[in-house]
Amino acid sequence: MSLVCCILSGYVFLDQDPIFLENNYYPLPRFATLGDYDLNGSLYEIFREHFGITSLDSDDTTLSVVTADVETAKLLQRSVGFPLFSMKTEIFDQNKKIVQYGEQLIVSDRYQFKI
């Protein structure tokens, strides 16, 4: 499967503190035109209106703990070696075709998971 490299990449902030760094990948050729749309709104609305995706499901998520390297520490304003959650997720459409593969790095001192 070919992937668009980091078509959506960014941060999530909490009180102006970067807590979440994410990179999301979308398969080609299916999403070759995704960059043509206004990605400041709802991505899932774009999927529904322009790509015919009516439902999304994720049953393949991996959560682990890693430490921040020099670049990640700088981006997330933490020290080198700071513990981060590393989450990798695959999202599928109603036909079980992959829509998105995501990799997130999340600071461990400002985020929690309820399982």
Side-chain angles (χ1 to χ4, degrees):
M1 167 179 52
S2 296
L3 296 177
V4 173
C5 183
C6 299
I7 193 164
L8 290 180
S9 185
Y11 299 91
V12 174
F13 288 84
L14 177 63
D15 299 328
Q16 299 182 347
D17 182 22
I19 63 164
F20 200 104
L21 178 63
E22 66 179 337
N23 292 301
N24 294 307
Y25 304 85
Y26 303 89
L28 289 173
R30 184 177 188 188
F31 294 106
T33 61
L34 187 57
D36 296 343
Y37 300 100
D38 179 6
L39 300 176
N40 291 316
S42 169
L43 182 60
Y44 301 107
E45 185 175 313
I46 293 169
F47 286 157
R48 185 179 63 254
E49 291 180 5
H50 301 284
F51 295 96
I53 297 171
T54 58
S55 67
L56 296 169
D57 185 39
S58 175
D59 59 2
D60 189 13
T61 298
T62 303
L63 181 66
S64 59
V65 176
V66 299
T67 56
D69 60 20
V70 173
E71 181 181 355
T72 304
K74 183 177 179 180
L75 292 170
L76 291 173
Q77 300 174 7
R78 299 299 192 277
S79 59
V80 172
F82 188 88
L84 304 170
F85 294 115
S86 172
M87 189 167 63
K88 297 178 181 180
T89 305
E90 292 181 344
I91 298 174
F92 300 89
D93 68 11
Q94 67 275 4
N95 298 313
K96 305 291 185 209
K97 291 184 180 177
I98 191 160
V99 172
Q100 173 184 310
Y101 170 75
E103 296 179 350
Q104 295 82 30
L105 292 173
I106 307 158
V107 299
S108 60
D109 63 340
R110 303 281 317 255
Y111 201 90
Q112 66 180 357
F113 291 90
K114 184 175 181 177
I115 299 174

